[in-house]
């Protein structure tokens, strides 16, 4: 019996070992020989399992509160460092009045953390000020908020129904003003829509320099043309187009025959092909007396 068992074991030992006894084992062995599969199983899979475990752990309310506290503490410690503190504001290019308005608009109490400032938000807010043409805001190393302002220069005074406004050469509002004599050095325009035609008005004022102090203001009519208001209640009505050429024509006639020195109330140039004048009360009375005198002589 023992001899029979030993004979069977010897027969099994004599059979050679098959390295791939099944198709599944063969495929698994081939997959393991692939570098991509080997890296995925050895390195990528453990990392994914670790991340998943941390995700499950981190979604608990208690763990979320702990991590949030850590983040807040770390940020507070970084923001409190001296190199991230803004201690002052450097302001250039603004007049004292505008500088005070900018400081009030910014409204910062220094020192303030660098991380609590958004220069672009501050710049957009300051750009809404009437007197500001352009502004640049930046944070400098060393703890300074730098504000560089380009201020609008008032070029003309506009009287509108609501009051007086200082305008720049492009017609943008610079500031409000209470009284005309506050800026008596600036030319005056009146009428609705005057602010939209400031460049043309400035050219007319420049061409009207020979009139000197006789020119009081330019009055906008119908938001399309100008009237020149002079002393002695004289008015020069300019056309919609070619206003400067028409005004220079009047100045030429005034130089040749003292047109504006006569008793004339209105010089109408709205039709350049047919300029007309309207005489004043004294001239009309004199003309009427002359006409009556001539009629009397003809009757005799």
């Amino acid at each position: 019996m023992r001899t029979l068992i030993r004979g069977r074991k010897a027969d099994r030992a004599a059979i050679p070992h098959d390295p791939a006894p099944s198709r599944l084992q063969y495929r698994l062995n081939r997959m393991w020989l692939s570098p991509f599969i080997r890296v995925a199983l050895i390195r990528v899979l453990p990392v994914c399992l670790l991340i998943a475990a941390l995700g499950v752990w981190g979604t608990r309310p208690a763990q979320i509160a702990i991590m949030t506290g850590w983040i807040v503490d770390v940020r507070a410690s970084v923001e409190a460092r001296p190199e991230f503190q803004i201690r002052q504001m450097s302001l250039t290019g603004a007049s004292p009045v505008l500088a005070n308005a900018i400081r009030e608009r910014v409204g910062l109490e220094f020192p303030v953390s660098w991380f609590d400032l958004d220069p672009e938000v501050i710049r957009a807010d300051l750009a809404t000020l009437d007197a500001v043409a352009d502004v640049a805001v930046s944070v400098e190393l060393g703890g300074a908020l730098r504000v560089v302002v380009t201020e609008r220069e008032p070029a003309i005074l506009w009287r509108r129904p609501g009051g007086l406004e200082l305008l720049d050469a492009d017609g943008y509002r610079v500031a409000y003003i209470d009284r005309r004599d506050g800026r008596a050095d600036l030319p005056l325009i009146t009428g609705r829509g005057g602010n939209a035609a400031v460049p043309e008005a400035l050219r007319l004022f420049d061409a009207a320099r020979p009139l000197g102090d006789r020119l009081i203001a330019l009055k906008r009519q119908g938001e399309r043309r100008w009237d020149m208001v002079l002393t002695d209640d004289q008015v020069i009505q300019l056309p919609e187009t070619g206003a400067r050429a028409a005004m220079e024509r009047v100045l030429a006639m005034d130089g040749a025959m003292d047109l504006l020195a006569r008793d004339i109330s209105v010089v109408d140039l709205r039709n350049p092909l047919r300029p007309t004048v309207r005489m004043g009360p004294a001239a009309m009375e004199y003309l009427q007396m002359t006409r009556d005198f001539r009629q009397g002589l003809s009757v005799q």
Side-chain angles (χ1 to χ4, degrees):
M1 186 65 180
R2 292 181 179 177
T3 304
L4 180 58
I5 293 174
R6 290 177 181 176
R8 291 178 178 177
K9 291 183 177 179
D11 293 340
R12 287 197 298 269
I15 299 174
H17 177 69
D18 187 0
S22 67
R23 183 176 295 179
L24 177 61
Q25 290 182 356
Y26 173 78
R27 289 183 176 178
L28 291 176
N29 185 52
R30 296 298 297 177
M31 292 174 61
W32 180 254
L33 294 177
S34 172
F36 176 77
I37 298 297
R38 189 181 305 170
V39 171
L41 293 176
I42 296 176
R43 298 182 181 179
V44 177
L45 182 59
V47 173
C48 292
L49 293 176
L50 178 61
I51 293 175
L54 291 176
V56 174
W57 177 81
T59 54
R60 298 178 179 178
Q63 306 304 329
I64 293 176
I66 293 175
M67 289 188 293
T68 304
W70 288 348
I71 295 173
V72 172
D73 293 340
V74 171
R75 177 172 179 175
S77 62
V78 173
E79 293 179 355
R81 294 184 64 86
E83 56 266 30
F84 296 116
Q85 293 294 310
I86 306 301
R87 298 179 177 83
Q88 61 182 351
M89 181 171 65
S90 173
L91 181 58
T92 58
S95 63
V97 175
L98 179 58
N100 292 333
I102 289 176
R103 291 190 179 93
E104 292 180 1
R105 179 65 67 91
V106 174
L108 292 177
E109 295 184 2
F110 297 98
V112 63
S113 174
W114 191 341
F115 298 94
D116 293 335
L117 293 179
D118 190 341
E120 181 59 28
V121 173
I122 297 176
R123 189 207 66 79
D125 187 27
L126 295 180
T128 60
L129 293 174
D130 292 335
V132 174
D134 191 18
V135 59
V137 180
S138 60
V139 177
E140 296 183 343
L141 294 177
L145 178 65
R146 182 172 178 80
V147 179
V148 180
V149 179
T150 302
E151 188 172 359
R152 298 187 190 277
E153 293 294 334
I156 205 167
L157 190 61
W158 177 38
R159 185 187 300 277
R160 59 182 183 85
L164 292 171
E165 292 184 9
L166 292 173
L167 307 178
D168 68 356
D170 295 323
Y172 291 100
R173 181 174 59 235
V174 177
Y176 294 97
I177 189 171
D178 295 331
R179 301 177 56 184
R180 169 75 175 98
D181 54 8
R183 290 303 303 265
D185 58 311
L186 296 179
L188 176 66
I189 61 175
T190 64
R192 186 183 301 274
N195 59 326
V198 169
E200 181 186 17
L202 291 176
R203 291 193 294 269
L204 292 176
F205 278 112
D206 182 67
R209 288 183 179 180
L211 294 176
D213 296 337
R214 292 198 59 192
L215 178 58
I216 299 176
L218 288 176
K219 184 177 181 180
R220 195 66 172 168
Q221 296 289 356
E223 300 186 27
R224 54 188 177 83
R225 68 173 193 85
W226 293 102
D227 280 353
M228 299 181 65
V229 181
L230 308 179
T231 56
D232 299 329
D233 295 329
Q234 288 183 328
V235 177
I236 301 176
Q237 297 177 336
L238 300 176
E240 295 183 31
T241 59
R244 178 164 180 165
M247 186 191 64
E248 291 175 347
R249 184 179 178 184
V250 172
L251 294 178
M253 289 188 294
D254 182 57
M257 61 183 68
D258 291 333
L259 176 66
L260 300 178
R262 303 175 184 274
D263 187 18
I264 295 175
S265 60
V266 178
V267 179
D268 189 351
L269 300 176
R270 290 176 293 179
N271 185 357
L273 300 179
R274 189 179 178 182
T276 59
V277 295
R278 184 185 306 165
M279 292 182 294
M284 291 293 295
E285 183 179 357
Y286 176 78
L287 181 62
Q288 185 65 36
M289 290 176 59
T290 304
R291 185 179 303 169
D292 293 342
F293 178 74
R294 290 178 179 179
Q295 289 179 354
L297 291 178
S298 63
V299 172
Q300 293 178 356

